[in-house]
Amino acid sequence: MLRAEPAWPREDLFTLLVARGKTRKTLRQATLLGPFDAAELTARMDAEAQALRGEGFLPGGLEARIQALQGTPRERALAAVRLGWRRDPAAVEPLLQAFSTAGFERSAVLDALGLIGDGRALSVARAEAEKKLLSRRRSGVEALRNLDDAEGLVLARGRALDRLPDEVRLALEAPVATAESVAAVLLALPVKEKGLALDSLYELGTPLAASTVIAALPKLELAAPHVWRYVKSVLKRSLLRRDAPVFGAVAHAIERAARKTPGTQAELKSGLDGSVRKTAVFRRLTQIYVMRLSWRHLRDLARYEPGRYAEAAAEVLARYGPEDTTEPTAIAGSLSTCHLLHRILLGRSERFELERSALLHRVRGKKPSALKKGVREESYPELWDASPGAYIRLLAAGRLREVHEFALTAVKRAHRSAVETAAAADIVAFLSAPHEETVELGLIELNRRFDPRAPDLELLQALAKDGRPAVREQTLRWLELAAPVWTRNVERTLALLDSKDGLLREAVANLAVAELPEAGAELRQALAERIARLLVAKETEPGQHDGLARVASLALLDELTPLMSLDDLIVLFATGSSGARSVAGALLGRHPEALDAIGLSRLAALGSHEVASLRESVRALLLSALPALRLDPSPLFALVESEWPDARTFALDLLRSELAPSLGRAVALGFLDSRRPEVQRLGRDLLYRDVPSLSPHEIDSIVDRLVQHPDRAVHAVALELLLLAPESERTLRPELLPLLRGTLFDLTPQRATKRGVLALLRSAALRDEASARLAAPLLSDFVGTKGRLDFEETIATLVEIRLAYPGLANRLQLVGGPTA
Amino acid sequence: MIENLRYAAASGLVQRAGHSELGLATNTLRGNVYFSGLLRQPLPLREALGALRGVVVSDLKFRPKDRPKFQAWLEEEDRRFLATLGIKSEHARQELERLNVSLDALNRIREKRREAFHAARLAYFRFVLENEYEKFYILDPVITVHPDEVFFEAFSRDESSYARLGVSQDLFDDVGPFACGTTNIDFSASLAEGFDRLRAYRDTRFAIGPSGFAVATNTTTATNEDSEVHHEKKVDLPESWVRGFLQVQSAMSLSMPRFSLAPVDLYNICRFLKSHRTRKSPRALRWELEPGKRVRAVLEPWGHVIELSTIYDGTKAQSIRTWGRDRLKVLARLLPVAQRIDVHLAGTGLPSFYVLDLGGISFTLALSGWTDNDWTGGAKFDLLTRRLTGTAAEVLTVYEALRLRRFATDAELAEVTGFGIEKCRTTLSYLCQAGRAIYDLGKRVYRHRDLFFDPFTLQDAAAAVKPALEEKAPEAKAAKHIHEAEDVRVIARRPVTTGYKLSGSARGASGPRVRPLLHVDYEGQIIEASCTCAHFRSHGLTQGPCEHVLALRLAHMERLAKEDSKGGLAPA
């Protein structure tokens, strides 16, 4: 035995105890050497160890394990597993000898050889990797991986790819394959194929494959026949690879499934002998065995590879969420069914005890007791403290309040520096933690790191990519504070404008627009050139160009104008994204040659286009073409009927203020023919301008047109024109009937118009008989009205007509007189 | 049921130098139907098409108000009240009240600031409503070209109003070659605007065809070439819509009291309704019909009486209530151009029909008993019509005869097919209910109209007849059982000028023996009916006739058929 101890009372010096014996309990010839300083101690220990080996002594337990390789298959397998953990090269030859004679324990022996990592096992591993039997193949491939046999692994990957269903392989090889997309394809496979595909995927050993396994596990029915054996295989692979994330995911998924199902029985074909027999699948014994195996693995890690323990434990803890908790009772807490969590977080607790048959962690005593101050209940606290990064992982990914409290306590106690040195993405992840204190810690740390004069641009970019509302708010505040810095960097600005969050993108664009006038001409030019190139490219998702377009339209038009010719704009307009089209629209107004190239009529038609910036540019161009419009204002006539209010207002204002003198009577009538009230008003104003010069005949022909309009506003104009004539000259014509009948039978008429029509009927009818012939039947039809005023006026007029023209057909019957 | 409509072009009005062209694009997924002619009187047609559009988009069904703002306010008040419950300290309470006042002020400021946003959102929703809604929810009218007229048929969105606009070919000059048939026409909101541009001082060519017009009138379609060249609609048509369309024909062929109105009478009714609103019941329009006296329209609940200018020439005094009177406002646009209005009333709570004569144009508005009672909800008007049995071959023969003539009276068809007139009427009734024929209330003729594009085959005819053989309506089934069990007997049968009056006795599967009374015309259609059963006491005829009335009619029809086979034809 070799043991170093501090040479009391000097703590910088050590003594070295050397003793010999067959076992720890039968040591003799003990010699105390030293004291030595630290450097000397190491050299002396090596020398003493060498001497002991020379005397034929071996590391404790090694010989016994090697001896056990000669025992029963079970003893051989257990010895091999232990030798694998010890990784002593001295065990390689015995293991190889044992492999050559091994039966069922063959895989355990090969696993051990792989873990030791000695090249002598290569040929054996390669041969096993080609086997069809899952256990042997798995051991072979994982041994190759542990032996770093690149050549053997390439062949194994090829075979694994061949085993994968086509759809999974295609999804995996897709250019933008993600863990979620491949997992979705995998989960859509028939049940019988899912398990093998999962295992084969994991056998590939690529980061994407591992992420896919993690993504697929929560949605997979582990306990199903044809699936469970492969899930178990994935667990074993993850143990051999020391793959903490996948181990955490599988161990948690198994525990969760064990809570829900007692397992099943199914007729399954054995991989070993090919016979079909009734097999228990994921029954309770298996569940307990696997859950205990998981903890055993963590315990072995703590013993043999202590540096890996905290990382693996953290990955397991991060998987637990509120859905794993149960309603607490007097004898069991909310986490009583979370075996691994209890082992890791409360492994040293005296408050709970394990009911081994059910792996249930009950409260010790009659009622739950509170945690005593300063007591640490987690297993292997020294290993946690040695890997503070594990706490950060828990804070970033943990979903359970208890897990966050554990990590926060540790961070506050002794690991504040771990937070200060953590990656930006991890701190950002703190902000979405389900524990308020963790969120606060994240905000404090981000605020500490943030310097508006020298902001952490990587951090800002990571925040911008996040997309969660809570993060967005903080990001926007910092972006605003640091705008003078990041807007001076073209790449950063473009990256931020590329954010997938529409609101953030718009805010970034607004900040850039506000800052860019202060930036140098060179930077603006460079940004404009990059934006011009980006806008021509196709959007990968709708709205991607919106931020770029906003900056371009509001801050970089001067720089972009020489960069894009009229032809470029037309192409952009025809094929570009909506953002690109809006920039093209805004730039069009800066190309005076567009007027000649496109032509006034087509340009005016574009004035009603759905892209607002194009309409604006068209308006600018039309204003520059005023002389031509004065000669021929017709291109604007279509614009007054546009469905866009801005286009209509522009055209109407221009016609009213600048072009009115060039508009004739025909145009006025055309405008009056419109259904839009504002256009009708312009038409009326233009018409009234000419009225004094119109002859009665011309007025009549205009009125004849206007009365056919269905709008009562235009009828009112027609009536006004009719009433312009002196009372003595007013007559009725059949052409006026639409106006007269339309007004009388209008359910919601303008009072003045109706009174005017009745007055016109009366005056015209009494003036000449031809008018009376028209008025009498019309009034006769209307005299049945129940409106008092209308009735009185109508009946009075009819009476007057009756008296004025006794010979005229009249519905009115005078009492005592003849009926016409 | 998804109704697919495809148009090769958009319908629209195009104004050219001195003339305009009104092109109605037809559904290219149906047969080739086309027509072209110069409109002689565009203004009445303009108003009629506008009214038709009004029917197509109308939806007056009662829907409880969704008041999210009020609900939010109520919830906020509740929250505030609950928040104050736990507060013991007076100071804290005052502080909370002060903060609430500040919060309200801030909310008001925020609302003010967001006004522009709300306005823009509202504008967007309007745009969506106008441009998208009609693509999926408004079924385009059915148009049929016949040798004597072109007619449009449409059903309102709430399935309570049916409109038929018939335009006589006499209104067209220079009529080109035309193909008779039925199809849908593209009937968008922009087309409705186009109608309003019709003027009499411009020659207007009216054209129906698959190509519509290559040039559209508005700039939106001009720039969006795809939508102009190829325009498709997929309307999710409820089964009830189709059934309703067919029920209208059943209701139309009933014998109903009829009288005429002057336009000013309808004007007075509409005007009063426009200026008066009430939440009190009954909100009915009651027609008081007394032979030889002026018809009186009573607007309830005010009891406002409008005495009409026409004299009722019927033989029996009646008081008929109709509901859903607001639907009449769709006719307001037609009042200035209407010359006469014929009103047909099926009875209290039963459908009413308004046939407007616009001088060569007739506009028929059929209204269900009330707005929420659509044509299919409870009304089974097909049960009121005659139910002699007919074979598929007979139905097909009459269909072919009608298809060749396009329109004909039942007597003409009886002469052509050689069937008895009773048989002819029965088969025509089947055809109406199969969507293969309609009854023209104005001209009192049957017209061929294939509502569906698929050809009418012997199998279709068999399917049309089958419901009669295997009655689907529970009342009809029960009536058949009563008849077969000989649990109905005719106590008295008296021929009258309009048909027969019968009294009988019947007993259903359960319940006591009851006394149905029946007045049927010579065609076997029910004019009036009553019964002492519970169903009739509750619903009258609004849910269709009861099983006892139908059983009595079966017994009568059996007797009539026996007399028919002995050589006697019922007078037409």
Side-chain angles (χ1 to χ4, degrees):
Chain A
M1 180 182 74
L2 276 173
R3 187 167 75 196
E5 284 179 346
W8 187 85
R10 295 277 305 272
E11 288 191 357
D12 56 335
L13 296 178
F14 301 89
T15 57
L16 186 62
L17 178 71
V18 182
R20 291 169 176 79
K22 281 187 176 175
T23 67
R24 270 188 299 181
K25 289 179 181 171
T26 57
L27 291 174
R28 56 187 169 77
Q29 296 177 13
T31 310
L32 190 66
L33 304 173
F36 308 109
D37 60 18
E40 202 181 347
L41 177 72
T42 315
R44 193 59 194 256
M45 272 189 92
D46 288 345
E48 289 297 328
Q50 198 63 39
L52 285 170
R53 282 182 196 276
E55 291 173 31
F57 287 103
L58 288 167
L62 181 64
E63 182 60 20
R65 302 293 176 207
I66 290 172
Q67 288 295 328
L69 290 176
Q70 310 298 323
T72 62
R74 184 172 182 275
E75 286 169 349
R76 285 209 298 270
L78 287 172
V81 170
R82 208 41 58 193
L83 287 169
W85 278 110
R86 293 178 73 112
R87 299 195 173 185
D88 195 322
V92 173
E93 280 304 327
L95 280 168
L96 282 171
Q97 281 177 13
F99 183 82
S100 62
T101 58
F104 296 136
E105 74 280 16
R106 183 181 283 257
S107 296
V109 175
L110 188 55
D111 290 344
L113 282 168
L115 286 168
I116 294 170
D118 194 294
R120 282 172 285 177
L122 258 182
S123 58
V124 179
R126 282 189 181 180
E128 287 294 287
E130 291 176 14
K131 299 290 182 196
K132 192 182 170 194
L133 189 65
L134 174 62
S135 57
R136 294 179 68 176
R137 189 178 74 234
R138 178 180 63 235
S139 293
V141 174
E142 297 311 323
L144 288 177
R145 198 181 311 280
N146 284 329
L147 291 167
D148 278 336
D149 179 15
E151 196 182 326
L153 279 176
V154 168
L155 295 172
R157 278 197 191 115
R159 288 191 293 271
L161 277 174
D162 289 343
R163 273 197 307 279
L164 277 176
D166 290 345
E167 46 269 55
V168 177
R169 196 168 56 245
L170 287 173
L172 203 63
E173 288 165 358
V176 283
T178 61
E180 286 70 28
S181 64
V182 183
V185 174
L186 187 142
L187 290 168
L189 290 173
V191 180
K192 282 193 174 180
E193 293 179 23
K194 276 184 198 170
L196 180 60
L198 185 83
D199 187 58
S200 302
L201 202 60
Y202 191 46
E203 189 176 307
L204 290 175
T206 60
L208 176 61
S211 311
T212 303
V213 169
I214 293 173
L217 274 169
K219 294 167 192 163
L220 200 65
E221 199 186 339
L222 307 189
H226 307 289
V227 176
W228 165 239
R229 68 162 67 159
Y230 295 103
V231 173
K232 194 168 64 181
S233 174
V234 170
L235 174 71
K236 287 183 179 173
R237 285 180 196 273
S238 72
L239 300 183
L240 291 169
R241 286 186 207 177
R242 308 289 191 258
D243 184 348
V246 173
F247 166 67
V250 185
H252 173 259
I254 289 171
E255 198 176 295
R256 195 192 53 193
R259 268 184 238 127
K260 291 178 181 168
T261 171
T264 184
Q265 273 198 332
E267 298 274 346
L268 292 174
K269 185 179 173 185
S270 166
L272 192 66
D273 55 16
S275 62
V276 177
R277 62 174 77 92
K278 193 170 261 186
T279 313
V281 180
F282 200 57
R283 300 306 289 259
R284 191 62 190 154
L285 279 177
T286 310
Q287 294 170 3
I288 290 175
Y289 168 76
V290 179
M291 285 193 277
R292 292 180 67 187
L293 171 71
S294 298
W295 170 239
R296 204 159 55 237
H297 172 71
L298 285 173
R299 214 174 51 195
D300 286 339
L301 272 181
R303 183 177 171 191
Y304 295 103
E305 297 170 31
R308 290 180 189 262
Y309 171 77
E311 182 204 356
E315 288 298 338
V316 174
L317 290 181
R319 295 283 153 194
Y320 284 94
E323 67 277 9
D324 293 305
T325 60
T326 52
E327 196 68 34
T329 63
I331 56 162
S334 60
L335 300 171
S336 59
T337 54
C338 302
H339 176 62
L340 267 182
L341 179 138
H342 245 276
R343 283 298 201 185
I344 296 166
L345 274 190
L346 302 160
R348 300 197 317 155
S349 174
E350 293 179 355
R351 297 183 295 147
F352 301 94
E353 61 186 358
L354 174 65
E355 188 185 310
R356 289 182 181 277
S357 61
L359 289 191
L360 200 67
H361 294 263
R362 295 185 184 283
V363 173
R364 196 189 294 268
K366 289 186 178 173
K367 61 177 182 179
S369 56
L371 174 64
K372 287 177 189 165
K373 203 171 183 184
V375 174
R376 295 183 68 176
E377 295 185 311
E378 71 270 25
S379 302
Y380 307 108
E382 71 284 358
L383 297 184
W384 279 103
D385 287 344
S387 307
Y391 293 127
I392 302 301
R393 173 70 182 145
L394 289 182
L395 291 173
R399 297 192 296 126
L400 208 58
R401 182 178 55 81
E402 288 80 355
V403 170
H404 278 270
E405 281 173 355
F406 163 68
L408 279 168
T409 309
V411 165
K412 283 180 193 165
R413 186 179 60 235
H415 301 289
R416 183 76 212 191
S417 60
V419 178
E420 290 169 6
T421 54
D426 284 339
I427 305 297
V428 171
F430 283 15
L431 301 186
S432 56
H435 193 57
E436 203 172 326
E437 273 189 72
T438 309
V439 178
E440 273 175 30
L441 181 68
L443 286 172
I444 291 167
E445 178 57 23
L446 287 173
N447 274 315
R448 189 191 68 74
R449 291 183 185 198
F450 185 75
D451 178 2
R453 286 161 300 177
D456 183 347
L457 295 177
E458 288 292 338
L459 175 65
L460 270 181
Q461 209 161 319
L463 285 169
K465 277 184 184 168
D466 194 275
R468 287 168 299 181
V471 181
R472 183 202 292 146
E473 203 177 315
Q474 188 68 11
T475 312
L476 282 174
R477 201 166 66 79
W478 285 333
L479 280 172
E480 197 174 341
L481 289 171
V485 180
W486 61 260
T487 50
R488 301 303 186 269
N489 182 327
V490 172
E491 294 306 323
R492 291 286 177 203
T493 308
L494 291 173
L496 288 169
L497 285 171
D498 197 30
S499 168
K500 288 184 177 173
D501 180 347
L503 285 174
L504 192 76
R505 205 163 48 211
E506 190 187 344
V508 167
N510 288 340
L511 290 169
V513 167
E515 285 294 331
L516 279 174
E518 308 298 324
E522 237 174 75
L523 184 131
R524 290 161 57 87
Q525 186 63 35
L527 189 61
E529 285 171 9
R530 288 296 306 277
I531 287 181
R533 280 205 295 276
L534 287 170
L535 285 176
V536 173
K538 210 172 180 183
E539 277 184 327
T540 52
E541 60 185 67
Q544 193 191 13
H545 285 167
D546 289 0
L548 299 172
R550 196 169 178 83
V551 173
S553 303
L554 298 177
L556 297 173
L557 283 182
D558 289 341
E559 287 77 13
L560 282 167
T561 304
L563 293 176
M564 303 187 96
S565 66
L566 184 61
D567 290 342
D568 292 338
L569 294 182
I570 289 169
V571 170
L572 199 59
F573 207 83
T575 60
S577 62
S578 64
R581 290 165 73 194
S582 104
V583 175
L587 286 171
L588 190 72
R590 294 170 168 253
H591 286 269
E593 71 273 21
L595 202 59
D596 293 330
I598 297 174
L600 206 51
S601 304
R602 287 173 64 196
L603 199 66
L606 285 174
S608 286
H609 199 275
E610 60 183 357
V611 176
S613 63
L614 177 62
R615 295 201 301 271
E616 200 176 332
S617 286
V618 166
R619 292 201 286 271
L621 288 169
L622 286 175
L623 279 177
S624 69
L626 261 182
L629 286 171
R630 282 200 179 94
L631 292 174
D632 176 17
S634 61
L636 291 177
F637 296 166
L639 223 49
V640 298
E641 294 287 346
S642 166
E643 62 178 316
W644 299 103
D646 56 343
R648 285 202 304 273
T649 309
F650 166 79
L652 283 169
D653 288 348
L654 198 63
L655 286 166
R656 198 180 276 278
S657 59
E658 300 287 341
L659 306 174
S662 55
L663 302 174
R665 196 187 316 151
V667 176
L669 286 175
F671 288 163
L672 272 166
D673 208 29
S674 168
R675 292 302 312 271
R676 298 190 181 280
E678 66 269 30
V679 183
Q680 290 169 0
R681 279 195 292 275
L682 175 62
R684 186 194 59 191
D685 295 346
L686 291 173
L687 186 66
Y688 280 11
R689 188 187 57 184
D690 294 344
V691 161
S693 61
L694 293 176
S695 67
H697 176 69
E698 283 171 323
I699 287 183
D700 282 352
S701 70
I702 289 170
V703 168
D704 289 352
R705 286 175 63 117
L706 296 184
V707 296
Q708 294 194 17
H709 200 285
D711 283 1
R712 55 175 72 102
V714 180
H715 284 184
V717 176
L719 189 67
E720 281 175 38
L721 289 175
L722 278 173
L723 296 178
L724 281 178
E727 201 168 331
S728 58
E729 292 174 17
R730 292 175 194 165
T731 55
L732 299 180
R733 305 183 300 282
E735 290 78 9
L736 297 181
L737 279 177
L739 166 71
L740 304 174
R741 281 192 78 90
T743 307
L744 290 180
F745 285 93
D746 190 351
L747 289 179
T748 50
Q750 290 173 328
R751 178 168 289 274
T753 312
K754 198 162 196 176
R755 296 273 84 78
V757 164
L758 285 168
L760 174 70
L761 282 168
R762 180 177 176 277
S763 59
L766 294 180
R767 207 177 71 79
D768 69 277
E769 190 171 346
S771 295
R773 278 182 202 285
L774 279 172
L778 179 57
L779 291 169
S780 299
D781 282 351
F782 189 62
V783 75
T785 177
K786 301 294 177 190
R788 190 176 55 82
L789 273 176
D790 292 347
F791 171 72
E792 285 175 0
E793 280 194 48
T794 309
I795 195 80
T797 308
L798 276 173
V799 169
E800 287 180 280
I801 293 172
R802 185 82 176 92
L803 294 172
Y805 310 103
L808 196 66
N810 192 328
R811 189 181 163 192
L812 199 71
Q813 188 178 353
L814 294 177
V815 176
T819 307
Chain B
M1 176 178 169
I2 301 291
E3 178 79 1
N4 289 309
L5 307 169
R6 182 183 291 168
Y7 300 104
S11 295
L13 180 85
V14 181
Q15 293 184 6
R16 305 190 191 283
H19 73 282
S20 55
E21 295 177 5
L22 175 64
L24 302 177
T26 54
N27 180 7
T28 55
L29 297 178
R30 295 199 59 154
N32 195 14
V33 178
Y34 54 90
F35 176 85
S36 168
L38 210 55
L39 260 179
R40 210 180 289 159
Q41 296 175 24
L43 297 193
L45 182 64
R46 176 182 81 188
E47 302 306 317
L49 286 169
L52 187 73
R53 169 83 188 165
V55 172
V56 170
V57 299
S58 76
D59 188 352
L60 294 174
K61 227 170 208 175
F62 173 74
R63 288 180 181 86
K65 269 187 185 170
D66 185 18
R67 295 181 290 184
K69 263 193 172 176
F70 173 69
Q71 291 297 340
W73 174 83
L74 209 58
E75 277 171 22
E76 180 61 17
E77 287 298 300
D78 283 352
R79 194 191 59 75
R80 283 184 183 182
F81 172 72
L82 290 172
T84 56
L85 277 183
I87 297 174
K88 300 271 190 299
S89 148
E90 186 58 30
H91 173 72
R93 193 184 301 278
Q94 285 173 357
E95 182 65 9
L96 188 67
E97 278 175 16
R98 190 185 64 75
L99 287 173
N100 277 336
V101 170
S102 311
L103 185 65
D104 288 343
L106 286 172
N107 281 338
R108 278 197 296 277
I109 293 168
R110 187 185 60 181
E111 285 302 311
K112 182 88 182 158
R113 196 179 68 240
R114 298 181 70 183
E115 263 175 11
F117 163 72
H118 289 311
R121 190 171 58 176
L122 191 66
Y124 168 73
F125 283 137
R126 280 200 185 127
F127 173 83
V128 170
L129 191 70
E130 282 172 14
N131 292 275
E132 299 298 318
Y133 178 79
E134 67 176 28
K135 279 187 194 164
F136 301 101
Y137 295 104
I138 304 292
L139 184 74
D140 290 332
V142 175
I143 189 168
T144 306
V145 176
H146 272 193
D148 63 328
E149 73 172 29
V150 174
F151 61 91
F152 305 74
E153 287 173 281
F155 219 42
S156 66
R157 184 65 199 157
D158 61 12
E159 301 174 22
S160 75
S161 312
Y162 160 88
R164 180 182 173 280
L165 165 62
V167 186
S168 167
Q169 288 215 15
D170 296 342
L171 280 188
F172 296 98
D173 286 333
D174 189 20
V175 175
F178 60 86
C180 293
T182 302
T183 184
N184 298 91
I185 52 162
D186 174 34
F187 206 68
S188 59
S190 56
L191 176 66
E193 275 184 26
F195 292 148
D196 286 342
R197 294 179 184 278
L198 284 174
R199 303 287 186 268
Y201 54 78
R202 275 194 294 263
D203 282 347
T204 303
R205 177 157 286 278
F206 178 87
I208 298 164
S211 58
F213 283 105
V215 187
T217 48
N218 64 50
T219 47
T220 310
T221 47
T223 49
N224 190 350
E225 287 186 9
D226 284 344
S227 69
E228 186 189 302
V229 170
H230 210 75
H231 167 54
E232 280 194 81
K233 284 173 75 169
K234 283 184 192 293
V235 180
D236 188 0
L237 203 60
E239 285 292 334
S240 56
W241 197 98
V242 179
R243 287 206 308 276
F245 222 106
L246 308 179
Q247 286 284 344
V248 174
Q249 304 309 326
S250 296
M252 270 197 200
S253 50
L254 295 173
S255 294
M256 293 176 280
R258 171 178 164 274
F259 56 90
S260 294
L261 294 180
V264 75
D265 296 328
L266 193 56
Y267 167 82
N268 286 330
I269 293 169
C270 291
R271 188 167 168 271
F272 186 86
L273 291 175
K274 193 114 188 161
S275 54
H276 294 75
R277 297 192 72 80
T278 180
R279 285 176 177 274
K280 274 170 50 183
S281 289
R283 290 188 295 260
L285 172 58
R286 195 173 80 232
W287 300 97
E288 299 284 353
L289 310 176
E290 269 191 71
K293 292 192 175 175
R294 284 177 187 274
V295 177
R296 284 153 41 103
V298 184
L299 291 156
E300 296 178 326
W302 308 282
H304 180 79
V305 180
I306 297 173
E307 197 164 75
L308 311 184
S309 49
T310 48
I311 309 287
Y312 180 56
D313 56 4
T315 55
K316 186 182 170 190
Q318 293 188 66
S319 174
I320 295 173
R321 272 202 176 103
T322 57
W323 282 267
R325 60 198 180 190
D326 280 349
R327 290 173 289 173
L328 287 176
K329 287 177 191 166
V330 81
L331 298 177
R333 202 174 167 170
L334 299 176
L335 292 174
V337 289
Q339 295 175 2
R340 205 183 68 165
I341 301 163
D342 286 339
V343 183
H344 304 252
L345 302 170
T348 294
L350 291 174
S352 48
F353 302 87
Y354 297 80
V355 185
L356 280 76
D357 178 8
L358 313 181
I361 297 173
S362 78
F363 189 94
T364 306
L365 179 70
L367 305 176
S368 60
W370 57 91
T371 314
D372 274 347
N373 176 24
D374 55 38
W375 290 92
T376 55
K380 300 177 187 73
F381 304 105
D382 48 340
L383 297 184
L384 296 169
T385 55
R386 179 155 196 185
R387 283 294 187 173
L388 269 187
T389 50
T391 63
E394 287 165 352
V395 171
L396 203 61
T397 307
V398 174
Y399 170 76
E400 285 300 331
L402 184 62
R403 194 173 69 81
L404 286 174
R405 276 155 194 76
R406 299 291 173 185
F407 63 95
T409 62
D410 45 9
E412 285 168 356
L413 287 170
E415 194 180 326
V416 172
T417 57
F419 298 147
I421 194 161
E422 295 299 325
K423 182 68 77 183
C424 238
R425 285 169 187 159
T426 301
T427 50
L428 281 166
S429 157
Y430 289 137
L431 287 174
C432 284
Q433 285 162 36
R436 301 295 173 172
I438 64 161
Y439 184 65
D440 183 343
L441 206 55
K443 294 190 177 168
R444 298 184 170 268
V445 291
Y446 286 91
R447 288 183 180 277
H448 166 249
R449 188 266 277 126
D450 285 327
L451 186 59
F452 310 105
F453 175 55
D454 306 326
F456 190 59
T457 60
L458 195 63
Q459 284 80 8
D460 296 326
V465 175
K466 201 177 171 189
L469 299 173
E470 299 170 17
E471 293 294 358
K472 281 183 181 169
E475 292 85 1
K477 256 184 195 171
K480 203 174 166 197
H481 286 147
I482 293 171
H483 184 238
E484 283 169 1
E486 297 184 351
D487 267 341
V488 60
R489 58 172 196 275
V490 179
I491 296 172
R493 189 175 75 144
R494 184 161 58 90
V496 291
T497 50
T498 50
Y500 294 92
K501 284 194 171 178
L502 300 121
S503 74
S505 161
R507 185 169 61 197
S510 61
R513 186 166 279 281
V514 293
R515 294 291 298 275
L517 295 172
L518 185 61
H519 180 183
V520 288
D521 65 6
Y522 290 112
E523 297 163 14
Q525 291 169 1
I526 296 173
I527 297 170
E528 259 187 301
S530 69
C531 187
T532 55
C533 69
H535 179 273
F536 191 87
R537 277 204 303 275
S538 303
H539 305 293
L541 284 176
T542 58
Q543 305 278 309
C546 67
E547 63 207 55
H548 314 106
V549 167
L550 290 174
L552 181 61
R553 187 176 66 162
L554 278 177
H556 164 66
M557 297 309 293
E558 193 182 40
R559 192 180 289 186
L560 206 64
K562 278 179 192 164
E563 290 166 4
D564 217 6
S565 62
K566 284 174 193 165
L569 256 183

